[in-house]
Amino acid sequence: MKGFHYLAPTEMVFGAGSFDSLKDQCARFGSKAFIVTGKNSSRKNGALDSALRQLPNAVVFDDVQENPTSDTCNKGGELCRNEGCDLVVAIGGGSPMDAAKAISVLALNAGDCSDFYGSNRFNNGALPIIAVPTTAGTGSEVTPYAVIINSSENKKRTISGQDIFPKLAILDPELSLTMPQSVTANTGLDALSQAMEGIVSLKSTPLSDLLALEACRIVCEWLPKAVGDGTDIEARSQMLYAASLTGHVISQTGTTLVHGMGYYLTIEFGIAHGLANAFLLPPIFRHNAMYLPDKVAEIARALGYVAETSAEDSGEKVVEAIYSIFARIGVAPAAKEAGARLERLNWCAEDIINDKSRFKNQPGEFSLEQVKQIFFSAYEGRI
Ligand code: NAP
């Protein structure tokens, strides 16, 4: 077995109603909270009202859009500093959680968001973060990453560092009950993608594989139920738990080419983050099966092909399994159905092939022609 390093420092509180402990939890980390959230969802699910009842002196920053930009984070950082807040509370999906992490850095470090892309590029630490996920997909509540669109170049960049691991994650499945079917499906597919990518990543570890395979099993069983009945609290709980497992996974393994290429589908065509990744899973995992057939076979088995998948047919089986999940949640498995445009795909492939950072955890070799074919397959939905 090869050696590995494993770090998961975020404390977790999990359970229906656990958000009611926000006041007591905040008191452990600071005295004036800066709440970072989106425009609508935290009002819809009652989280913002509850937070303000519990923390009457908190300052609210609700400007975070989907896929947050550096301009938004800079604005939030300035407000947080000016208000003298000493703790950041993120309420929402991956977007508010990531913006909150960037803001926690900007509150203590002079500079612009873009000064901090990369690993541990800030010297003065970050404000403590409490993360409260209201989607079940990114696991950002337990990761050391903030994924931000750099406004000047319109590309996704990542701030990473141990100081932005949230100190505490409060996982209350009741806050996810208001997710509409599409958000439930898209974010659940992101969890699936993170689990699958973590298993094949060059940085995978035995421990992260264990968590990722369990996440695959949970998503396969419970995502269709959560999409089918949004009021099913057990399904919501299972998906919140699975997403969090995948956050632990990618904290160790990073993501792979699926996320790297998925960013293009999001930025170029406005396709939701998790859905963009999911379109790329079949072609990229067929490719992965050439390099890691045993691991891909394990994934196919976790997704329902109990005992009948061999290394030789792992590529075909995993692709079938992914399309079967698409069918069970009622989502068309083709990027063209979600707004992708064929004429931009060559450019996307040419751009990403020159960005080596997108391939750093990805097994196997890729030519420009293969990357183009993967985009075209994701577009058509069949290989
Ligand atoms: P999101 O962008 O945070 O939210 C998507 C939509 O869902 C928004 O319209 C949001 O509304 C709504 N929403 C959130 N919770 C809801 C609820 N309980 N009820 C109803 N609507 C709700 O989606 P996400 O997929 O969770 O996050 C995606 C972002 O996370 C991307 O930027 C991605 O790059 C990043 N990401 C980060 C990591 C990491 O480790 N840091 C990992 C994976 C992905 P409001 O805007 O009104 O809140």
Side-chain angles (χ1 to χ4, degrees), residues 206-224:
L207 192 45
S208 57
D209 283 358
L210 196 72
L211 302 183
L213 285 167
E214 178 65 359
C216 286
R217 285 185 207 100
I218 297 174
V219 171
C220 184
E221 178 177 354
W222 291 96
L223 180 58

Side-chain angles (χ1 to χ4, degrees), residues 189-212:
L189 288 169
D190 193 25
L192 176 67
S193 182
Q194 295 191 154
M196 293 177 62
E197 289 177 73
I199 293 167
V200 296
S201 164
L202 297 177
K203 293 201 306 210
S204 70
T205 73
L207 192 45
S208 57
D209 283 358
L210 196 72
L211 302 183

Side-chain angles (χ1 to χ4, degrees), residues 38-41 44-45 64 66-68 93-96 98 101 134-135 138 140 143 145-147 156 175-176 178-180 183 187 190 194 250 259 263 273:
K39 267 281 172 270
N40 303 305
S41 67
K44 191 170 154 194
N45 62 13
V64 183
E66 287 183 42
N67 306 295
S95 297
D98 285 8
K101 291 174 183 174
T134 66
T135 60
T138 71
S140 176
T143 76
Y145 313 124
V147 184
K156 286 209 177 193
L175 300 181
S176 66
T178 46
M179 267 193 288
V183 177
T187 56
D190 193 25
Q194 295 191 154
I250 63 162
H259 265 68
Y263 291 157
H273 171 73

Side-chain angles (χ1 to χ4, degrees), residues 37-351:
T37 191
K39 267 281 172 270
N40 303 305
S41 67
S42 62
R43 291 186 169 80
K44 191 170 154 194
N45 62 13
L48 189 56
D49 276 353
S50 167
L52 290 173
R53 268 197 309 278
Q54 297 185 65
L55 308 168
N57 73 338
V59 175
V60 177
F61 180 69
D62 65 358
D63 280 358
V64 183
Q65 67 276 64
E66 287 183 42
N67 306 295
T69 63
S70 52
D71 286 350
T72 300
C73 297
N74 286 332
K75 200 170 138 198
E78 191 183 348
L79 184 63
C80 183
R81 261 193 320 273
N82 292 344
E83 291 282 351
C85 294
D86 56 5
L87 162 72
V88 178
V89 175
I91 304 175
S95 297
M97 289 193 282
D98 285 8
K101 291 174 183 174
I103 288 168
S104 76
V105 170
L106 288 158
L108 296 188
N109 295 270
D112 178 272
C113 198
S114 59
D115 296 328
F116 306 116
Y117 301 140
S119 182
N120 289 308
R121 297 274 308 276
F122 43 96
N123 295 324
N124 295 340
L127 289 180
I129 301 158
I130 294 184
V132 185
T134 66
T135 60
T138 71
S140 176
E141 66 275 10
V142 296
T143 76
Y145 313 124
V147 184
I148 306 296
I149 293 186
N150 193 30
S151 303
S152 60
E153 57 176 349
N154 204 27
K155 284 200 166 163
K156 286 209 177 193
R157 300 289 174 200
T158 303
I159 299 174
S160 84
Q162 288 192 15
D163 290 330
I164 58 171
F165 268 115
K167 295 281 181 252
L168 175 76
I170 301 179
L171 296 108
D172 186 339
E174 287 182 352
L175 300 181
S176 66
L177 289 170
T178 46
M179 267 193 288
Q181 272 187 334
S182 59
V183 177
T184 305
N186 297 343
T187 56
L189 288 169
D190 193 25
L192 176 67
S193 182
Q194 295 191 154
M196 293 177 62
E197 289 177 73
I199 293 167
V200 296
S201 164
L202 297 177
K203 293 201 306 210
S204 70
T205 73
L207 192 45
S208 57
D209 283 358
L210 196 72
L211 302 183
L213 285 167
E214 178 65 359
C216 286
R217 285 185 207 100
I218 297 174
V219 171
C220 184
E221 178 177 354
W222 291 96
L223 180 58
K225 293 179 186 166
V227 171
D229 177 5
T231 67
D232 182 342
I233 190 74
E234 183 59 21
R236 293 300 196 184
S237 303
Q238 294 281 351
M239 283 307 302
L240 193 59
Y241 172 61
S244 202
L245 291 183
T246 73
H248 282 110
V249 171
I250 63 162
S251 295
Q252 319 307 321
T253 65
T255 53
T256 66
L257 190 58
V258 175
H259 265 68
M261 292 178 73
Y263 291 157
Y264 283 82
L265 299 183
T266 296
I267 290 182
E268 288 296 310
F269 313 118
I271 298 176
H273 171 73
L275 186 60
N277 292 335
F279 290 141
L280 290 153
L281 286 175
I284 293 184
F285 270 76
R286 184 166 284 169
H287 197 91
N288 287 337
M290 294 192 293
Y291 294 91
L292 295 167
D294 293 324
K295 281 198 143 185
V296 174
E298 249 184 302
I299 296 171
R301 285 193 286 272
L303 296 179
Y305 284 88
V306 187
E308 52 168 283
T309 304
S310 64
E312 291 70 44
D313 66 0
S314 64
E316 293 315 310
K317 285 284 161 61
V318 89
V319 166
E320 276 179 47
I322 297 162
Y323 283 139
S324 147
I325 292 175
F326 268 107
R328 288 163 60 216
I329 61 175
V331 175
K336 66 181 177 189
E337 305 290 341
R341 292 199 325 276
L342 193 57
E343 65 272 18
R344 284 296 286 168
L345 295 180
N346 276 335
W347 175 85
C348 294
E350 281 155 14
D351 198 64

